[in-house]
PDB file of all heavy atoms in Angstrom:
ATOM      1  N   SER A   1      27.904 -11.457   3.778  1.00 49.00           N
ATOM      2  CA  SER A   1      29.299 -11.751   4.091  1.00 49.00           C
ATOM      3  C   SER A   1      30.148 -10.674   3.436  1.00 49.00           C
ATOM      4  O   SER A   1      30.294 -10.652   2.214  1.00 49.00           O
ATOM      5  CB  SER A   1      29.683 -13.129   3.540  1.00 49.00           C
ATOM      6  OG  SER A   1      31.060 -13.365   3.689  1.00 49.00           O
ATOM      7  N   PHE A   2      30.674  -9.749   4.236  1.00 52.00           N
ATOM      8  CA  PHE A   2      31.379  -8.607   3.688  1.00 52.00           C
ATOM      9  C   PHE A   2      32.837  -8.958   3.406  1.00 52.00           C
ATOM     10  O   PHE A   2      33.755  -8.556   4.105  1.00 52.00           O
ATOM     11  CB  PHE A   2      31.263  -7.412   4.633  1.00 52.00           C
ATOM     12  CG  PHE A   2      29.876  -6.866   4.716  1.00 52.00           C
ATOM     13  CD1 PHE A   2      28.973  -7.350   5.650  1.00 52.00           C
ATOM     14  CD2 PHE A   2      29.446  -5.891   3.831  1.00 52.00           C
ATOM     15  CE1 PHE A   2      27.686  -6.858   5.717  1.00 52.00           C
ATOM     16  CE2 PHE A   2      28.155  -5.396   3.887  1.00 52.00           C
ATOM     17  CZ  PHE A   2      27.266  -5.875   4.831  1.00 52.00           C
ATOM     18  N   SER A   3      33.008  -9.738   2.363  1.00 54.00           N
ATOM     19  CA  SER A   3      34.342 -10.152   1.946  1.00 54.00           C
ATOM     20  C   SER A   3      34.834  -9.227   0.845  1.00 54.00           C
ATOM     21  O   SER A   3      34.060  -8.764   0.015  1.00 54.00           O
ATOM     22  CB  SER A   3      34.303 -11.597   1.446  1.00 54.00           C
ATOM     23  OG  SER A   3      35.536 -11.959   0.868  1.00 54.00           O
ATOM     24  N   ALA A   4      36.124  -8.970   0.826  1.00 58.00           N
ATOM     25  CA  ALA A   4      36.689  -8.025  -0.130  1.00 58.00           C
ATOM     26  C   ALA A   4      36.476  -8.467  -1.567  1.00 58.00           C
ATOM     27  O   ALA A   4      36.442  -7.642  -2.477  1.00 58.00           O
ATOM     28  CB  ALA A   4      38.183  -7.837   0.155  1.00 58.00           C
ATOM     29  N   ASP A   5      36.376  -9.785  -1.776  1.00 78.00           N
ATOM     30  CA  ASP A   5      36.226 -10.251  -3.162  1.00 78.00           C
ATOM     31  C   ASP A   5      34.760 -10.369  -3.575  1.00 78.00           C
ATOM     32  O   ASP A   5      34.466 -10.842  -4.667  1.00 78.00           O
ATOM     33  CB  ASP A   5      36.945 -11.587  -3.359  1.00 78.00           C
ATOM     34  CG  ASP A   5      36.397 -12.689  -2.462  1.00 78.00           C
ATOM     35  OD1 ASP A   5      35.517 -12.393  -1.627  1.00 78.00           O
ATOM     36  OD2 ASP A   5      36.860 -13.836  -2.600  1.00 78.00           O
ATOM     37  N   ARG A   6      33.856  -9.958  -2.722  1.00 92.00           N
ATOM     38  CA  ARG A   6      32.430  -9.985  -3.064  1.00 92.00           C
ATOM     39  C   ARG A   6      32.070  -8.656  -3.711  1.00 92.00           C
ATOM     40  O   ARG A   6      31.551  -7.725  -3.086  1.00 92.00           O
ATOM     41  CB  ARG A   6      31.597 -10.221  -1.815  1.00 92.00           C
ATOM     42  CG  ARG A   6      31.849 -11.561  -1.148  1.00 92.00           C
ATOM     43  CD  ARG A   6      30.922 -12.629  -1.665  1.00 92.00           C
ATOM     44  NE  ARG A   6      29.561 -12.406  -1.202  1.00 92.00           N
ATOM     45  CZ  ARG A   6      28.507 -13.079  -1.658  1.00 92.00           C
ATOM     46  NH1 ARG A   6      28.657 -13.982  -2.609  1.00 92.00           N
ATOM     47  NH2 ARG A   6      27.305 -12.836  -1.179  1.00 92.00           N
ATOM     48  N   THR A   7      32.378  -8.548  -4.991  1.00 97.00           N
ATOM     49  CA  THR A   7      32.117  -7.320  -5.740  1.00 97.00           C
ATOM     50  C   THR A   7      31.438  -7.665  -7.061  1.00 97.00           C
ATOM     51  O   THR A   7      31.494  -8.817  -7.522  1.00 97.00           O
ATOM     52  CB  THR A   7      33.414  -6.546  -6.023  1.00 97.00           C
ATOM     53  OG1 THR A   7      34.280  -7.374  -6.823  1.00 97.00           O
ATOM     54  CG2 THR A   7      34.122  -6.161  -4.730  1.00 97.00           C
ATOM     55  N   LEU A   8      30.822  -6.659  -7.656  1.00 98.00           N
ATOM     56  CA  LEU A   8      30.131  -6.861  -8.924  1.00 98.00           C
ATOM     57  C   LEU A   8      30.127  -5.538  -9.682  1.00 98.00           C
ATOM     58  O   LEU A   8      29.767  -4.499  -9.133  1.00 98.00           O
ATOM     59  CB  LEU A   8      28.692  -7.330  -8.673  1.00 98.00           C
ATOM     60  CG  LEU A   8      27.878  -7.802  -9.882  1.00 98.00           C
ATOM     61  CD1 LEU A   8      28.480  -9.079 -10.478  1.00 98.00           C
ATOM     62  CD2 LEU A   8      26.418  -8.044  -9.483  1.00 98.00           C
ATOM     63  N   ARG A   9      30.534  -5.588 -10.940  1.00 98.00           N
ATOM     64  CA  ARG A   9      30.496  -4.399 -11.800  1.00 98.00           C
ATOM     65  C   ARG A   9      29.214  -4.447 -12.638  1.00 98.00           C
ATOM     66  O   ARG A   9      29.013  -5.390 -13.409  1.00 98.00           O
ATOM     67  CB  ARG A   9      31.715  -4.356 -12.705  1.00 98.00           C
ATOM     68  CG  ARG A   9      33.056  -4.202 -11.980  1.00 98.00           C
ATOM     69  CD  ARG A   9      34.211  -4.510 -12.917  1.00 98.00           C
ATOM     70  NE  ARG A   9      34.097  -5.872 -13.436  1.00 98.00           N
ATOM     71  CZ  ARG A   9      34.671  -6.314 -14.550  1.00 98.00           C
ATOM     72  NH1 ARG A   9      35.407  -5.502 -15.284  1.00 98.00           N
ATOM     73  NH2 ARG A   9      34.518  -7.560 -14.943  1.00 98.00           N
ATOM     74  N   ILE A  10      28.386  -3.416 -12.500  1.00 98.00           N
ATOM     75  CA  ILE A  10      27.089  -3.393 -13.171  1.00 98.00           C
ATOM     76  C   ILE A  10      26.994  -2.145 -14.041  1.00 98.00           C
ATOM     77  O   ILE A  10      27.249  -1.032 -13.574  1.00 98.00           O
ATOM     78  CB  ILE A  10      25.925  -3.399 -12.166  1.00 98.00           C
ATOM     79  CG1 ILE A  10      26.037  -4.615 -11.238  1.00 98.00           C
ATOM     80  CG2 ILE A  10      24.590  -3.404 -12.894  1.00 98.00           C
ATOM     81  CD1 ILE A  10      24.977  -4.647 -10.156  1.00 98.00           C
ATOM     82  N   GLY A  11      26.630  -2.338 -15.299  1.00 96.00           N
ATOM     83  CA  GLY A  11      26.485  -1.228 -16.225  1.00 96.00           C
ATOM     84  C   GLY A  11      25.030  -0.797 -16.366  1.00 96.00           C
ATOM     85  O   GLY A  11      24.135  -1.632 -16.487  1.00 96.00           O
ATOM     86  N   THR A  12      24.789   0.514 -16.318  1.00 92.00           N
ATOM     87  CA  THR A  12      23.468   1.087 -16.585  1.00 92.00           C
ATOM     88  C   THR A  12      23.649   2.388 -17.345  1.00 92.00           C
ATOM     89  O   THR A  12      24.730   2.985 -17.331  1.00 92.00           O
ATOM     90  CB  THR A  12      22.680   1.380 -15.292  1.00 92.00           C
ATOM     91  OG1 THR A  12      23.454   2.244 -14.459  1.00 92.00           O
ATOM     92  CG2 THR A  12      22.358   0.118 -14.528  1.00 92.00           C
ATOM     93  N   TYR A  13      22.570   2.839 -17.990  1.00 88.00           N
ATOM     94  CA  TYR A  13      22.602   4.120 -18.695  1.00 88.00           C
ATOM     95  C   TYR A  13      22.915   5.229 -17.692  1.00 88.00           C
ATOM     96  O   TYR A  13      22.489   5.181 -16.546  1.00 88.00           O
ATOM     97  CB  TYR A  13      21.272   4.390 -19.390  1.00 88.00           C
ATOM     98  CG  TYR A  13      20.794   3.243 -20.256  1.00 88.00           C
ATOM     99  CD1 TYR A  13      19.480   2.804 -20.206  1.00 88.00           C
ATOM    100  CD2 TYR A  13      21.674   2.595 -21.112  1.00 88.00           C
ATOM    101  CE1 TYR A  13      19.039   1.749 -20.991  1.00 88.00           C
ATOM    102  CE2 TYR A  13      21.247   1.535 -21.899  1.00 88.00           C
ATOM    103  CZ  TYR A  13      19.926   1.111 -21.833  1.00 88.00           C
ATOM    104  OH  TYR A  13      19.503   0.060 -22.601  1.00 88.00           O
ATOM    105  N   GLY A  14      23.648   6.244 -18.147  1.00 85.00           N
ATOM    106  CA  GLY A  14      24.142   7.268 -17.250  1.00 85.00           C
ATOM    107  C   GLY A  14      23.113   8.291 -16.813  1.00 85.00           C
ATOM    108  O   GLY A  14      21.905   8.098 -16.939  1.00 85.00           O
ATOM    109  N   GLY A  15      23.599   9.404 -16.274  1.00 84.00           N
ATOM    110  CA  GLY A  15      22.743  10.498 -15.853  1.00 84.00           C
ATOM    111  C   GLY A  15      21.876  10.138 -14.654  1.00 84.00           C
ATOM    112  O   GLY A  15      22.286   9.385 -13.764  1.00 84.00           O
ATOM    113  N   TYR A  16      20.673  10.687 -14.629  1.00 81.00           N
ATOM    114  CA  TYR A  16      19.743  10.468 -13.518  1.00 81.00           C
ATOM    115  C   TYR A  16      19.489   8.984 -13.289  1.00 81.00           C
ATOM    116  O   TYR A  16      19.382   8.523 -12.150  1.00 81.00           O
ATOM    117  CB  TYR A  16      18.425  11.194 -13.822  1.00 81.00           C
ATOM    118  CG  TYR A  16      17.300  10.839 -12.877  1.00 81.00           C
ATOM    119  CD1 TYR A  16      17.225  11.411 -11.612  1.00 81.00           C
ATOM    120  CD2 TYR A  16      16.329   9.914 -13.242  1.00 81.00           C
ATOM    121  CE1 TYR A  16      16.211  11.067 -10.741  1.00 81.00           C
ATOM    122  CE2 TYR A  16      15.309   9.564 -12.380  1.00 81.00           C
ATOM    123  CZ  TYR A  16      15.254  10.152 -11.127  1.00 81.00           C
ATOM    124  OH  TYR A  16      14.254   9.802 -10.272  1.00 81.00           O
ATOM    125  N   PHE A  17      19.415   8.237 -14.373  1.00 87.00           N
ATOM    126  CA  PHE A  17      19.122   6.809 -14.286  1.00 87.00           C
ATOM    127  C   PHE A  17      20.190   6.097 -13.466  1.00 87.00           C
ATOM    128  O   PHE A  17      19.892   5.406 -12.480  1.00 87.00           O
ATOM    129  CB  PHE A  17      19.041   6.243 -15.708  1.00 87.00           C
ATOM    130  CG  PHE A  17      18.514   4.843 -15.797  1.00 87.00           C
ATOM    131  CD1 PHE A  17      17.157   4.604 -15.856  1.00 87.00           C
ATOM    132  CD2 PHE A  17      19.375   3.755 -15.844  1.00 87.00           C
ATOM    133  CE1 PHE A  17      16.657   3.312 -15.951  1.00 87.00           C
ATOM    134  CE2 PHE A  17      18.888   2.464 -15.940  1.00 87.00           C
ATOM    135  CZ  PHE A  17      17.530   2.246 -15.989  1.00 87.00           C
ATOM    136  N   GLU A  18      21.446   6.266 -13.840  1.00 92.00           N
ATOM    137  CA  GLU A  18      22.531   5.603 -13.109  1.00 92.00           C
ATOM    138  C   GLU A  18      22.640   6.138 -11.686  1.00 92.00           C
ATOM    139  O   GLU A  18      22.854   5.363 -10.733  1.00 92.00           O
ATOM    140  CB  GLU A  18      23.866   5.807 -13.834  1.00 92.00           C
ATOM    141  CG  GLU A  18      25.034   5.119 -13.134  1.00 92.00           C
ATOM    142  CD  GLU A  18      26.377   5.416 -13.767  1.00 92.00           C
ATOM    143  OE1 GLU A  18      26.438   6.296 -14.658  1.00 92.00           O
ATOM    144  OE2 GLU A  18      27.374   4.793 -13.363  1.00 92.00           O
ATOM    145  N   ASN A  19      22.500   7.456 -11.515  1.00 92.00           N
ATOM    146  CA  ASN A  19      22.610   8.035 -10.185  1.00 92.00           C
ATOM    147  C   ASN A  19      21.558   7.469  -9.230  1.00 92.00           C
ATOM    148  O   ASN A  19      21.822   7.271  -8.044  1.00 92.00           O
ATOM    149  CB  ASN A  19      22.480   9.556 -10.263  1.00 92.00           C
ATOM    150  CG  ASN A  19      23.694  10.205 -10.908  1.00 92.00           C
ATOM    151  OD1 ASN A  19      24.778   9.612 -10.945  1.00 92.00           O
ATOM    152  ND2 ASN A  19      23.524  11.409 -11.426  1.00 92.00           N
ATOM    153  N   SER A  20      20.362   7.199  -9.757  1.00 91.00           N
ATOM    154  CA  SER A  20      19.306   6.638  -8.919  1.00 91.00           C
ATOM    155  C   SER A  20      19.653   5.218  -8.490  1.00 91.00           C
ATOM    156  O   SER A  20      19.370   4.816  -7.353  1.00 91.00           O
ATOM    157  CB  SER A  20      17.971   6.664  -9.669  1.00 91.00           C
ATOM    158  OG  SER A  20      17.568   7.996  -9.928  1.00 91.00           O
ATOM    159  N   PHE A  21      20.253   4.454  -9.389  1.00 95.00           N
ATOM    160  CA  PHE A  21      20.704   3.109  -9.015  1.00 95.00           C
ATOM    161  C   PHE A  21      21.767   3.198  -7.926  1.00 95.00           C
ATOM    162  O   PHE A  21      21.738   2.431  -6.952  1.00 95.00           O
ATOM    163  CB  PHE A  21      21.271   2.379 -10.235  1.00 95.00           C
ATOM    164  CG  PHE A  21      20.275   1.521 -10.950  1.00 95.00           C
ATOM    165  CD1 PHE A  21      19.483   2.040 -11.955  1.00 95.00           C
ATOM    166  CD2 PHE A  21      20.109   0.186 -10.603  1.00 95.00           C
ATOM    167  CE1 PHE A  21      18.549   1.253 -12.603  1.00 95.00           C
ATOM    168  CE2 PHE A  21      19.184  -0.613 -11.251  1.00 95.00           C
ATOM    169  CZ  PHE A  21      18.398  -0.084 -12.255  1.00 95.00           C
ATOM    170  N   LYS A  22      22.701   4.125  -8.079  1.00 96.00           N
ATOM    171  CA  LYS A  22      23.786   4.261  -7.109  1.00 96.00           C
ATOM    172  C   LYS A  22      23.278   4.733  -5.753  1.00 96.00           C
ATOM    173  O   LYS A  22      23.814   4.355  -4.711  1.00 96.00           O
ATOM    174  CB  LYS A  22      24.843   5.237  -7.649  1.00 96.00           C
ATOM    175  CG  LYS A  22      25.622   4.678  -8.832  1.00 96.00           C
ATOM    176  CD  LYS A  22      26.367   5.763  -9.594  1.00 96.00           C
ATOM    177  CE  LYS A  22      27.476   6.361  -8.803  1.00 96.00           C
ATOM    178  NZ  LYS A  22      28.258   7.337  -9.619  1.00 96.00           N
ATOM    179  N   GLU A  23      22.249   5.555  -5.744  1.00 95.00           N
ATOM    180  CA  GLU A  23      21.743   6.110  -4.493  1.00 95.00           C
ATOM    181  C   GLU A  23      20.773   5.183  -3.778  1.00 95.00           C
ATOM    182  O   GLU A  23      20.743   5.130  -2.546  1.00 95.00           O
ATOM    183  CB  GLU A  23      21.068   7.458  -4.757  1.00 95.00           C
ATOM    184  CG  GLU A  23      20.603   8.161  -3.491  1.00 95.00           C
ATOM    185  CD  GLU A  23      20.081   9.559  -3.746  1.00 95.00           C
ATOM    186  OE1 GLU A  23      20.097   9.995  -4.926  1.00 95.00           O
ATOM    187  OE2 GLU A  23      19.665  10.226  -2.782  1.00 95.00           O
ATOM    188  N   PHE A  24      19.971   4.441  -4.556  1.00 95.00           N
ATOM    189  CA  PHE A  24      18.886   3.690  -3.933  1.00 95.00           C
ATOM    190  C   PHE A  24      18.993   2.167  -4.085  1.00 95.00           C
ATOM    191  O   PHE A  24      18.760   1.432  -3.136  1.00 95.00           O
ATOM    192  CB  PHE A  24      17.534   4.149  -4.509  1.00 95.00           C
ATOM    193  CG  PHE A  24      17.272   5.614  -4.331  1.00 95.00           C
ATOM    194  CD1 PHE A  24      17.263   6.465  -5.425  1.00 95.00           C
ATOM    195  CD2 PHE A  24      17.050   6.137  -3.074  1.00 95.00           C
ATOM    196  CE1 PHE A  24      17.024   7.822  -5.263  1.00 95.00           C
ATOM    197  CE2 PHE A  24      16.808   7.486  -2.895  1.00 95.00           C
ATOM    198  CZ  PHE A  24      16.797   8.336  -3.993  1.00 95.00           C
ATOM    199  N   VAL A  25      19.324   1.690  -5.284  1.00 97.00           N
ATOM    200  CA  VAL A  25      19.255   0.251  -5.549  1.00 97.00           C
ATOM    201  C   VAL A  25      20.495  -0.479  -5.058  1.00 97.00           C
ATOM    202  O   VAL A  25      20.399  -1.475  -4.322  1.00 97.00           O
ATOM    203  CB  VAL A  25      19.027  -0.015  -7.050  1.00 97.00           C
ATOM    204  CG1 VAL A  25      18.977  -1.519  -7.323  1.00 97.00           C
ATOM    205  CG2 VAL A  25      17.734   0.653  -7.524  1.00 97.00           C
ATOM    206  N   TYR A  26      21.665  -0.015  -5.453  1.00 98.00           N
ATOM    207  CA  TYR A  26      22.890  -0.720  -5.087  1.00 98.00           C
ATOM    208  C   TYR A  26      23.118  -0.766  -3.577  1.00 98.00           C
ATOM    209  O   TYR A  26      23.542  -1.818  -3.054  1.00 98.00           O
ATOM    210  CB  TYR A  26      24.096  -0.105  -5.795  1.00 98.00           C
ATOM    211  CG  TYR A  26      24.044  -0.196  -7.311  1.00 98.00           C
ATOM    212  CD1 TYR A  26      24.709   0.745  -8.099  1.00 98.00           C
ATOM    213  CD2 TYR A  26      23.337  -1.209  -7.952  1.00 98.00           C
ATOM    214  CE1 TYR A  26      24.674   0.669  -9.493  1.00 98.00           C
ATOM    215  CE2 TYR A  26      23.287  -1.289  -9.336  1.00 98.00           C
ATOM    216  CZ  TYR A  26      23.960  -0.334 -10.102  1.00 98.00           C
ATOM    217  OH  TYR A  26      23.909  -0.406 -11.477  1.00 98.00           O
ATOM    218  N   PRO A  27      22.878   0.323  -2.833  1.00 98.00           N
ATOM    219  CA  PRO A  27      23.061   0.222  -1.379  1.00 98.00           C
ATOM    220  C   PRO A  27      22.157  -0.826  -0.735  1.00 98.00           C
ATOM    221  O   PRO A  27      22.573  -1.533   0.191  1.00 98.00           O
ATOM    222  CB  PRO A  27      22.726   1.632  -0.890  1.00 98.00           C
ATOM    223  CG  PRO A  27      23.011   2.519  -2.061  1.00 98.00           C
ATOM    224  CD  PRO A  27      22.600   1.709  -3.254  1.00 98.00           C
ATOM    225  N   ALA A  28      20.919  -0.923  -1.211  1.00 97.00           N
ATOM    226  CA  ALA A  28      20.006  -1.929  -0.664  1.00 97.00           C
ATOM    227  C   ALA A  28      20.498  -3.335  -0.972  1.00 97.00           C
ATOM    228  O   ALA A  28      20.406  -4.241  -0.134  1.00 97.00           O
ATOM    229  CB  ALA A  28      18.607  -1.723  -1.234  1.00 97.00           C
TER     230      ALA A  28
END
């Protein structure tokens, strides 16, 4: 359900680690 209020702020360690989450995990 693509509602504007369906959001989540998630913290992870930066650099390659965070970039991999942003590229692969969060989109899925």
